[in-house]
Amino acid sequence: MAKEKGIKEIEDLPGIGPTTAEKLRAAGFDTLDRIATAVPADLSELSGMSLEAAKKAVDAAKQATTLEFSTASEIYEQRKALGKISTGASSLNEILGGGVETNGITEVYGKFASGKTQLGFQLTVNAQLPVNKGGLGGSVLFIDTEGTFRPERIEAIASAAGMDPKAALDNVLVIRAANSDQQILAVERADKTIKERNIKLIVVDSLMSLFRAEYPGRGALGERQQKLNAHIHKLQSLADVHGLAVYITNQVMDNPAILFGDPTTPVGGNIVAHAATTRLYMRKSKEEKRIVRLVDSPSMPEAEAVIKITPNGIRD
Ligand code: GTP
Ligand code: MG
């Protein structure tokens, strides 16, 4: 996007002084393009500027950037080239339009034992399969923030998929992040490894647990959301640049504002909600059965699939 009108940096926008600019940069809003496409409420939440000022800044950023257009056919061709990782269950693949898509972030939220980690293990195995078998023929970067990565499960799921379990384990790079700084750094420094090891899937299990533990209370929320936003933007940019898929799991809370229906809400606020390309809500049914609801997707309607967690992995 070309810039005009003498507005070149985010500080040149109305209402954005050096302090606000610093906060916005820390949160990943470091270019006019980023501000132009931002939701004003997010900018306000992240920098402390008023909502009114944030709206003005976004408008000014929009005017200062010019867009290059693509035809819908060009975009269609690009979309057809996106990869899909099979989830192991055809019903779930179907509601996703084929599987977990590359170049985007797929988030699964749900209560404990709903199966978020197990689905992550299945995707970790399936991403290694050749494209004609529902994979991407690549390796996996697994960021474990809860200490729940289990190589035994990878071994079992890979064997069931007809793969050499040792090779399947060798294709998974695991980082046990002990704090949110390690989690952030694992992603910040991933570029080189992604190229060298042909990483096609990044799993973050779970996105919010360390952030929640380290930034308790309202006072720390602004700083937490800034760091989180930058972290998620980096994940999205890795997905775009390297054509890989990002799978994140998320915790839930009961939203007291929801009086009727299911109050289960993913944590992380607007920042996470806006950043996830596709959102799935997973909940327990009878025994090994799980219900997966597609809550948000740019191309598929809201729908539900029933899957099973079996010793061999995720199945219909
Ligand atoms: P939290 O991380 O606690 O929020 O939960 P989660 O959503 O990640 O749940 P997870 O994916 O760990 O799912 C746990 C469930 O998977 C358990 O209730 C088990 O029923 C099931 N499970 C775990 N391991 C196995 C296994 O080896 N075989 C079978 N059949 N089921 C398993
Ligand atoms: Mg888990």
Side-chain angles (χ1 to χ4, degrees), residues 16 76 81 95 179 195 212:
I16 300 189
Y76 197 28
I95 66 169
N179 54 56
K195 280 191 218 123
R212 280 179 101 191

Side-chain angles (χ1 to χ4, degrees), residues 116-117 146 148 205:
K116 306 177 293 292
T117 297
E146 298 184 340
T148 51
D205 183 22

Side-chain angles (χ1 to χ4, degrees), residues 5-314:
K5 285 190 185 172
I7 293 183
K8 293 198 173 66
E9 304 288 335
I10 66 171
E11 284 94 339
D12 302 331
L13 294 167
I16 300 189
T19 317
T20 308
E22 196 180 316
K23 285 184 187 160
L24 290 174
R25 282 215 172 85
F29 290 102
D30 49 0
T31 63
L32 292 178
D33 291 345
R34 279 269 163 83
I35 305 275
T37 54
V39 180
D42 290 355
L43 295 187
S44 162
E45 181 183 332
L46 292 166
S47 70
M49 71 198 297
S50 74
L51 186 59
E52 207 47 44
K55 280 182 188 156
K56 280 191 186 138
V58 170
D59 283 343
K62 278 183 181 152
Q63 283 178 21
T65 49
T66 53
L67 286 170
E68 280 171 29
F69 293 97
S70 305
T71 66
S73 323
E74 281 163 0
I75 293 176
Y76 197 28
E77 287 308 312
Q78 285 163 14
R79 284 203 46 79
K80 279 195 267 187
L82 292 187
K84 309 251 162 94
I85 307 173
S86 168
T87 62
S90 57
S91 58
L92 180 52
N93 289 343
E94 202 168 299
I95 66 169
L96 286 167
V100 170
E101 212 168 68
T102 59
N103 299 53
I105 298 177
T106 299
E107 175 199 357
V108 176
Y109 65 88
K111 296 199 171 99
F112 67 93
S114 55
K116 306 177 293 292
T117 297
Q118 296 300 318
L119 179 54
F121 292 160
Q122 183 72 59
L123 293 169
T124 295
V125 168
N126 285 4
Q128 304 179 37
L129 291 167
V131 173
N132 63 6
K133 294 218 166 118
L136 299 171
S139 359
V140 180
L141 180 63
F142 198 111
I143 303 173
D144 176 16
T145 74
E146 298 184 340
T148 51
F149 179 79
R150 293 290 176 274
E152 310 86 285
R153 292 295 293 143
I154 301 297
E155 186 179 41
I157 295 169
S159 298
M163 295 161 66
D164 169 12
K166 171 75 166 64
L169 288 165
D170 286 340
N171 282 332
V172 186
L173 301 179
V174 185
I175 296 168
R176 169 77 175 98
N179 54 56
S180 67
D181 288 329
Q182 290 181 358
Q183 181 181 339
I184 289 167
L185 280 178
V187 172
E188 293 288 332
R189 297 186 183 162
D191 279 280
K192 195 160 156 267
T193 311
I194 291 172
K195 280 191 218 123
E196 284 170 6
R197 299 292 304 262
N198 186 31
I199 303 279
K200 283 292 168 195
L201 169 69
I202 300 177
V203 176
V204 184
D205 183 22
S206 71
L207 179 73
M208 292 297 301
S209 54
L210 297 171
F211 283 96
R212 280 179 101 191
E214 290 168 33
Y215 299 92
R218 289 224 134 252
L221 200 58
E223 193 191 347
R224 185 192 88 175
Q225 293 301 84
Q226 275 174 32
K227 290 204 164 178
L228 187 61
N229 195 63
H231 180 52
I232 299 178
H233 269 302
K234 181 66 195 182
L235 284 166
Q236 178 63 52
S237 95
L238 291 176
D240 285 331
V241 170
H242 301 285
L244 54 79
V246 174
Y247 173 82
I248 61 180
T249 68
N250 199 3
Q251 303 167 318
V252 295
M253 58 179 186
D254 280 346
N255 182 350
I258 298 177
L259 299 177
F260 304 100
D262 189 345
T264 311
T265 310
V267 301
N270 282 335
I271 301 293
V272 179
H274 294 149
T277 323
T278 300
R279 296 196 111 178
L280 293 163
Y281 170 32
M282 213 163 177
R283 63 188 199 273
K284 271 185 105 160
S285 177
K286 278 183 200 133
E287 288 146 13
E288 80 256 80
K289 276 194 200 157
R290 298 293 187 275
I291 300 161
V292 190
R293 164 163 282 271
L294 180 66
V295 181
D296 193 8
S297 155
S299 51
M300 299 298 291
E302 216 177 302
E304 275 186 359
V306 180
I307 62 169
K308 272 187 199 164
I309 306 176
T310 78
N312 292 338
I314 305 292

